[in-house]
Amino acid sequence: MNCIARTETDNPVERDHCVVRMPLGLLGFEQYKSFTLYTRPTEEPFLRLQAVGNPKLAFLVVSPFIAVPEYRPTIPNEDAEFLALQSPEDALVVTIVTVRGPGRATVNLKGPIVLNRHTLTAKQIIPLNAPTFSVAHPLPVRGH
Amino acid sequence: MLILSRKLNESIVIDGRITVKLVRIDGEVIKLGITAPADVPVHRQEVYEEIRLSNEAAAAPNIGPVPKLSAPQRASSAALGLQPLTEMLPAKP
């Protein structure tokens, strides 16, 4: 497995710069404030968001633009301030994938995770235009 | 549950740092103005629950076989320059 920020093989959990800080946690998992974001070459473009301190808590995430190229979540100003985003280029957006079975997966477009890619601080936000998005948008995947 | 009566423009204070103000009454809809520190998330309950349940469904001790995107999406994601999402994060020494 590769740490997202580097290409060499390494254990991402032991690398500080691969740890994403989520001061408010994920909705329903507020107690976990740190996650390791990494990818495995065989799993790209999917990434794994692994809770630091709980090996049993992990999420599969992916760029939402793979599901919906025209996806444009409106980030509330308070969230942009919270993440210290100066410009859209500072932000990286990923969305949580739910694997529902062979050939079936959905992404949560209503609660995307926005990262400041310079500080690696992140928050699961609810966009201002959230009512137009689904928590279970189909992701076109093949069966295994 | 604590129940308090409030008139228009009256507030309640929670924990000395969160203020909830009744700012408008419009038929069956009331508008609340909430002032809270940045580390206090405020959500509409039904939206919070929807996303919480989605997160719980997605959370996995073992994610299991990771799906493969079907071919057209793989192509389009590469075309959009999104495949190297990994390269968008800083590679700090």
Side-chain angles (χ1 to χ4, degrees):
Chain A
M1 77 183 61
N2 291 332
C3 161
I4 183 169
R6 296 171 73 91
T7 53
E8 71 226 51
T9 302
D10 213 328
N11 180 354
V13 179
E14 293 175 357
R15 304 194 69 98
D16 286 347
H17 69 268
C18 297
V19 173
V20 173
R21 287 179 51 254
M22 300 191 73
L24 305 184
L26 291 164
L27 274 58
F29 296 91
E30 283 82 357
Q31 66 271 43
Y32 297 100
K33 313 285 192 193
S34 296
F35 290 83
T36 304
L37 184 63
Y38 68 98
T39 186
R40 291 170 170 161
T42 55
E43 295 177 357
E44 287 190 44
F46 294 97
L47 308 170
R48 286 173 183 250
L49 195 60
Q50 170 68 55
V52 173
N54 184 353
K56 292 186 173 177
L57 183 62
F59 298 88
L60 198 62
V61 301
V62 75
S63 165
F65 306 106
I66 283 173
V68 183
E70 65 276 16
Y71 180 60
R72 294 292 178 273
T74 307
I75 301 174
N77 283 338
E78 309 84 71
D79 292 329
E81 283 175 25
F82 182 81
L83 294 170
L85 298 173
Q86 307 290 330
S87 72
E89 291 73 35
D90 293 340
L92 195 60
V93 184
V94 296
T95 185
I96 296 177
V97 179
T98 304
V99 180
R100 298 176 184 277
R104 290 184 60 230
T106 59
V107 288
N108 177 359
L109 299 180
K110 191 173 269 192
I113 298 170
V114 179
L115 296 92
N116 181 322
R117 62 196 181 93
H118 304 297
T119 65
L120 295 189
T121 303
K123 183 182 180 188
Q124 184 169 31
I125 70 149
I126 298 173
L128 295 177
N129 49 350
T132 64
F133 301 130
S134 169
V135 292
H137 187 94
L139 187 66
V141 293
R142 286 190 267 134
H144 299 305
Chain B
M1 181 189 289
L2 172 66
I3 297 175
L4 302 173
S5 298
R6 295 284 70 191
K7 292 176 182 168
L8 191 62
N9 292 323
E10 290 184 337
S11 301
I12 61 169
V13 179
I14 300 169
D15 198 31
R17 59 192 191 130
I18 299 163
T19 305
V20 182
K21 183 178 181 180
L22 176 51
V23 293
R24 189 168 168 187
I25 304 171
D26 193 1
E28 290 189 345
V29 177
I30 64 163
K31 289 196 190 289
L32 300 173
I34 298 144
T35 307
D39 63 349
V40 178
V42 178
H43 299 295
R44 293 173 177 84
Q45 186 179 23
E46 67 279 10
V47 177
Y48 177 88
E49 286 300 315
E50 189 180 19
I51 294 175
R52 181 183 67 81
L53 290 171
S54 176
N55 284 349
E56 286 184 358
N62 297 298
I63 287 169
V66 171
K68 300 282 185 198
L69 292 178
S70 47
Q73 280 69 32
R74 286 168 70 94
S76 67
S77 66
L80 281 166
L82 294 167
Q83 210 229 333
L85 191 64
T86 54
E87 294 169 13
M88 294 174 69
L89 287 171
K92 292 179 187 168

